[in-house]
Each structure stands twice: as structure tokens, then as C-alpha cells.
Amino acid sequence: MLALRLARGSRPLVLVRRLLVAAASAGVGFLLLCALAYASGHPTRSTGAVLRLLWCFVPLAAAVQFAVAVARTDPGTRPRPGLSAVGLGPVRLTVLAAVSTALSCTLGSAVALLLFLHLRGDLSGLPFDGAAAGLLDGGAPLPVAAALVLLALVPVSAATASALALRSRPIPTAPAPEDSAADTPPQEQPVPAGPPGGLPWGVALTSLGLAVEAYLSRGDGHSLLPLPGRLDATPAGVLAGWALTAIGLAMAGPGLAYHCGRLLQAARPGAVRLLAGRVLMDEARRIGGPLGMVCAVLSAVVAAYALHGTGPRPFGPLTTLGAVLVLGCTTATLLTSALEAKQDRAGTARTLLRLGAPVSALRSATVLRAAVLLLVFAPLTWLIAELAALPLTV
């Protein structure tokens, strides 16, 4: 009940983020139901049905990652001083965030079920009844228990992941009164965190993924893990190589973002460059991973379009839906992580403004951080895409 009241009284931007989580859950639920309908309509093609179901876990993972990022930025579940006195301690807030995430995802799953049944022609009285009956195997019965289990995957996974991600969130301390500040000895300021340690491993995994792709892509063209739609001839080595490359870029992202911050502070920096570099170094661990995943997804999209995007209707509708979900969720996760970082440094920004720093300087620092990240990660994305598509075009 408390989660519903917080959702009703949330600000419009918070409601938009929760609706986006529900939309992502609806898309993933629709893909899962499509895989179930294919298995029910083609009982002799069990291998193909299992592979279609396995491929649905890629957008499922992207949607769960986005749901966790939204739960971390929810102002209604952020720890604040004094909430423990009214019974809202860290455990209660974590449970509240998990319940709110589960409610949003459950709403999306319900929409997916209604839309799926409507397009199959199982629900009458609405326009476009049975418009996609052939694509969704409308003549085959749909197991109710299996459908409910598949639709529960997104809410349960997102709620569990949100609870695990928020269980160790620190509680901010209340500021000390001004009259007792003189009696309190000055505390030692924390030492800034060092560079993330995943950059060498990320570079190694990315190189290994490209090497695996180049070595295993030469064969008879048959795939152990065919994509649904028109990508049935994609070699399994390409898929395994891209998975390793995506993990490597996600591991290397924080290190690359950290060194981008150091690059901004090189060669006698001014106040704006110094501020932009320090903030980017502090935020590297938070935004580096999502930034690396966006780089991996974009490189896969560019490589896939270079290989299959020239023919008429190269991608099936379900493959297109899955690609849109993965790309949209990873991009939204990056933007949400950036918003979380902005919320965490709001106190620093207020302090700088109180000390007389102009607002234009803070805006210039933000633009400078975005520009240097784009300058580094955009060529990297293009290079990975070219190297990924090269073995399949020679």
C-alpha cells in the first residue's frame, strides 16, 4: 500500500521512468509469449523453440538492468536522516524499492498478455482481432501455467536484483548543529578513489571476443544458436565473440571513463577543465559499465546492419523488437545512471554556487564531460563494429 501511495504522489519524471520500466517489461513479456506460442504450435521443433526462449534472455537482462537503475534513482526510496525513527530503515526502504519495481514490471507483463491475446484473436470485440495470428501461432493452444510463469520472470528478476543492489546503500548522516561545530575536531577528508582495476581485463576480453569471432566464423554457415527472424545463418562464433566483447567493454568502461577524466586535467587545466575531470573520475565507476554496454550494443547493431541490412526486409519483426528493447534499455540505463550521479553531486554543486561559482561554469563542465566521452567511445564503437563485421565479409 505504501508503494502505491508513493507511486501516486511521485513527480512526473519519476512516473515516466516507471512507465518506461513497465514498457520494457511488456516488450520482454511479449517476446517470451511468442516463444511459448512457437513451442506450442511446433511440437516437433523443440530445439528451435528452446533457442528462441534462450534468446529472449538477452532483452530480459537489459530490462532488469534498467529496472535496477530506475530503482536506485527513485527519490521515494532513497535513505534520508530520520526515516529510521518512523520505521523506514535500510531494510524497509530496500523492500519498498523492490515492491515498487515489481509493481511496474507486473503492469508491463499484464499489458503484454492482453496485447498478445488480442493480436492472436483470443480476445474479441476489439479492432485488429487476429491481425498477427499467423506470426503468433494463433491456432495453437496457449498453456496458461507456462504463460504465467514466463510473465513472472521479469517482475521477480527485477525485484530481486533491485533488492540486492540497494541492500548496501549508505545512509546519509544529518548535518551537525552550528553551535557544536566549534567543539568538534576537524575530520580528515577521504582520499579520492584510485582508478578502476578492470581495464586490462576488459581489453583482454574484448580482444579475445574479436579473435573468437574471427576464428569460428569461418565454416559452413550453420549456427548453433540461430536468431529468430532472418538471421538464421549467423555463425555461433560471432555470437560467442560478441558476448565476450560485450563483457569486456563493460569491464573496460569504468577505466576508460576514469582516464578520460585524467585527460581533461592534463596540460595546465583551468577551473572548468579541472572540475569536469574530477567529476568524471569520481563518476567513472557508476557510468562506465552502462557506457561500455551501450558501446557493445551499438557496435553489434552497426555490424548487423552492415552484414544483413542491404536486402529487402532483412530482419523479422520479433528480431527487430528484441534489438529495440536491448538498445533502448541499455541507453536508458546509461541516462538513468548519469541522473543518479547528478543527484549524488547536487550538494557539491550547491556549495560551489554558494562560493560564487557561475552557473555557466557548471554547465560548461557538463558539456565538456559529455564531449570527451563521445570523442573516446564513438570511435571505439565504430572500430569494434568494423572488426566484428570484417571476418564475415571476406
Side-chain angles (χ1 to χ4, degrees), residues 6-173:
L6 289 177
R8 186 180 61 180
S10 300
R11 293 177 294 179
L13 185 58
V14 178
L15 292 176
V16 169
R17 292 200 297 265
R18 290 175 177 170
L19 288 177
L20 289 177
V21 171
S25 175
V28 176
F30 188 84
L31 289 177
L32 290 171
L33 291 176
C34 291
L36 178 62
Y38 180 85
S40 179
H42 304 82
T44 60
R45 302 179 183 177
S46 57
T47 302
V50 171
L51 293 179
R52 283 173 176 260
L53 183 61
L54 289 178
W55 273 112
C56 293
F57 283 91
V58 178
L60 172 63
V64 169
Q65 184 188 25
F66 176 48
V68 172
V70 170
R72 292 178 64 92
T73 58
D74 192 344
T77 58
R78 292 178 69 88
R80 291 181 295 274
L83 287 182
S84 298
V86 296
L88 291 178
V91 177
R92 283 281 187 90
L93 288 176
T94 300
V95 172
L96 184 61
V99 172
S100 300
T101 303
L103 288 176
S104 300
C105 295
T106 302
L107 175 62
S109 297
V111 171
L113 179 60
L114 293 177
L115 179 62
F116 180 80
L117 294 177
H118 173 53
L119 292 178
R120 274 170 50 101
D122 296 334
L123 298 180
S124 59
L126 296 175
F128 309 110
D129 290 332
L135 178 64
L136 304 180
D137 298 286
L142 188 69
V144 178
L148 294 179
V149 169
L150 290 178
L151 289 176
L153 284 179
V154 182
V156 172
S157 302
T160 304
S162 300
L164 293 177
L166 300 178
R167 62 178 181 177
S168 59
R169 186 166 52 180
I171 303 177
T173 58

Side-chain angles (χ1 to χ4, degrees), residues 237-267:
V238 177
L239 307 177
W242 179 82
L244 291 174
T245 302
I247 297 174
L249 288 174
M251 293 182 63
L256 290 176
Y258 183 89
H259 289 292
C260 287
R262 297 192 62 177
L263 179 64
L264 281 174
Q265 303 175 75

Side-chain angles (χ1 to χ4, degrees), residues 185-224:
Q187 297 182 356
E188 184 180 355
Q189 297 294 329
V191 179
L199 182 58
W201 288 103
V203 173
L205 280 178
T206 302
S207 303
L208 178 62
L210 293 174
V212 167
E213 175 186 344
Y215 181 75
L216 296 181
S217 61
R218 300 178 181 274
D220 55 358
H222 295 288
S223 173
L224 297 178

